[in-house]
Amino acid sequence: MRIFKKYFPALIAKYVRTFFRGRLYIHGRGGYEFENGKVVMPVEADPVHRATVQELNTKIAEITKKAA
């Protein structure tokens, strides 16, 4: 489990893409799980979690396109 003290979407997306599966925690936003290189939406997600997951997955897709 990795703990991020600040929310930097590009850094977090790079971490998720590199490790492919695991958990992370963002201070002020909560805990997240990722699998297959994408952040998984929690079952009972509040609006902050939903927005964060969508933004991170978009950033991961951008990084993947640049690498291809």
Side-chain angles (χ1 to χ4, degrees):
M1 176 184 233
R2 170 86 190 260
I3 298 173
F4 292 93
K5 292 184 180 181
K6 292 191 178 186
Y7 179 61
F8 293 116
L11 179 67
I12 297 168
K14 186 176 176 184
Y15 173 78
V16 170
R17 188 169 176 269
T18 302
F19 286 98
F20 209 67
R21 182 176 179 184
R23 297 184 335 176
L24 60 95
Y25 180 84
I26 304 168
H27 186 70
R29 292 189 182 243
Y32 299 87
E33 292 187 17
F34 56 97
E35 195 167 307
N36 296 328
K38 294 192 178 213
V39 182
V40 179
M41 186 73 70
V43 176
E44 296 181 14
D46 59 356
V48 173
H49 270 77
R50 288 186 189 280
T52 303
V53 169
Q54 290 174 347
E55 184 176 5
L56 289 174
N57 284 334
T58 302
K59 198 62 139 172
I60 292 166
E62 289 174 8
I63 291 172
T64 304
K65 285 182 184 178
K66 286 182 183 179

